[in-house]
Amino acid sequence: MSGTWSVAGAVRAAMNETSVVLCEHCQAKITGAVRLCGRCLDSRYCSQECMNAGWRNHKDFCEYKSPAEAAGRPIVPGVPLCDTQLLIARLLATLAAALQSRSRDVEAETYAKLSRAYFVLGHYMKAVELAQTCVKVVEEAASADLDRAIDDVVLTVSQSSLVAQCFGIMGRACVAVGDMHLGMEYYKQQIQFARRAGNNYEERVAHANVCEVHMVRREFTEAQKHCDLACRIAPAATPPPPPPPTSTSATFSPTVQNTRTQQKS
């Protein structure tokens, strides 16, 4: 980002971006009626065609929710900003200060937090982009040789943990949009950097993520293998903080309410 980057402008852009619903299948902005999965009342689609096409990947993760449990999801235009959007605004201000002071560690941590926040809001490709930026910043901070791959750079324990978290976010985002293969590759990187950092919590999470993908693929032997590996890893004494909260005050628009009752997965 350039030195003339405007915090106010970035916040306005982020709020406009995250106030738009993205299709869970094609990741395009939904400008018309929002179609919700009739079972979990959470996954959002731009058309019946995308809903049908996305069911193949969504069905293995779909969990029933009552309308009360689903309140506040999704974020739609006209709804007051949710907690996660307000968090994004604060993080953008932190990022601006880090860029001005050239604090690379704070910059990397802020990109990672922004990535988690966008993931919570269902903006999966933006979450991947921010996580990749975090990894790049960590690499630049750890080595002046920018031509070296992240695998070859000597990282501190905290840097390795942060990179592991970013690969975990990238993996979950790819799985969410149906790219199981790329998601699995990111999970493997998550395991690698969690081991470098000695971060038992992150390594357990990574093995659980890999196990889930193998279960979806009906690869039960591999799933059991990673489940056993996760169980053998000693739990961390202090797990990292939970992801940003979602909104509890937002309500569905009339359009969403109507499509929810009409559309079935």
Side-chain angles (χ1 to χ4, degrees):
M1 295 183 180
S2 66
T4 59
W5 179 59
S6 165
V7 178
V11 169
R12 283 196 299 272
M15 296 307 100
N16 290 334
E17 180 182 31
T18 55
S19 291
V20 175
V21 180
L22 297 185
C23 176
E24 298 252 346
H25 179 66
C26 69
Q27 285 286 286
K29 293 182 179 179
I30 303 176
T31 56
V34 179
R35 290 167 171 79
L36 292 177
C37 170
R39 187 167 182 270
C40 67
L41 302 177
D42 194 6
S43 290
R44 301 148 289 181
Y45 303 93
C46 62
S47 65
Q48 186 64 45
E49 290 72 22
C50 272
M51 180 182 286
N52 294 340
W55 177 244
R56 178 181 177 184
N57 294 314
H58 174 60
K59 63 182 179 181
D60 294 298
F61 302 96
C62 184
E63 296 182 359
Y64 173 78
K65 287 191 182 81
S66 67
E69 291 175 313
R73 306 275 298 177
I75 308 304
V76 295
V79 172
L81 297 181
C82 70
D83 294 341
T84 308
Q85 288 177 300
L86 296 176
L87 173 63
I88 288 174
R90 292 194 296 270
L91 289 172
L92 288 172
T94 302
L95 179 60
L99 291 169
Q100 186 174 11
S101 64
R102 299 184 182 276
S103 176
R104 304 313 299 273
D105 289 341
V106 175
E107 181 185 349
E109 290 174 5
T110 306
Y111 276 121
K113 292 176 181 178
L114 282 168
S115 178
R116 285 196 293 270
Y118 273 92
F119 179 88
V120 168
L121 292 178
H123 288 245
Y124 301 124
M125 293 301 98
K126 181 68 173 182
V128 170
E129 176 188 334
L130 289 165
Q132 289 173 335
T133 302
C134 174
V135 172
K136 181 180 179 181
V137 171
V138 170
E139 179 183 7
E140 292 173 352
S143 173
D145 183 4
L146 302 184
D147 293 329
R148 295 174 64 186
I150 187 68
D151 299 52
D152 301 326
V153 176
V154 178
L155 304 179
T156 65
V157 170
S158 60
Q159 287 173 331
S160 295
S161 289
L162 190 61
V163 170
Q165 293 172 30
C166 286
F167 278 120
I169 294 169
M170 287 188 272
R172 291 171 62 197
C174 289
V175 169
V177 296
D179 194 338
M180 301 288 181
H181 176 74
L182 185 56
M184 186 73 83
E185 292 302 312
Y186 283 137
Y187 286 154
K188 290 177 181 178
Q189 292 281 73
Q190 182 186 15
I191 293 172
Q192 175 185 343
F193 283 95
R195 285 176 177 169
R196 281 196 194 184
N199 189 329
N200 290 350
Y201 175 85
E202 201 66 37
E203 187 176 352
R204 282 164 62 94
V205 169
H207 281 296
N209 289 338
V210 173
C211 174
E212 184 177 37
V213 173
H214 281 303
M215 288 293 291
V216 170
R217 291 175 167 179
R218 303 295 191 269
E219 298 167 348
F220 301 119
T221 301
E222 288 298 314
Q224 184 63 54
K225 171 185 173 183
H226 285 277
C227 180
D228 292 341
L229 286 171
C231 291
R232 286 201 293 267
I233 298 172
T238 54
T246 57
S247 171
T248 56
S249 58
T251 56
F252 291 107
S253 67
T255 301
V256 176
Q257 290 177 336
N258 292 336
T259 55
R260 184 200 310 163
T261 57
Q262 296 171 1
Q263 302 297 332
K264 301 295 182 181
S265 298

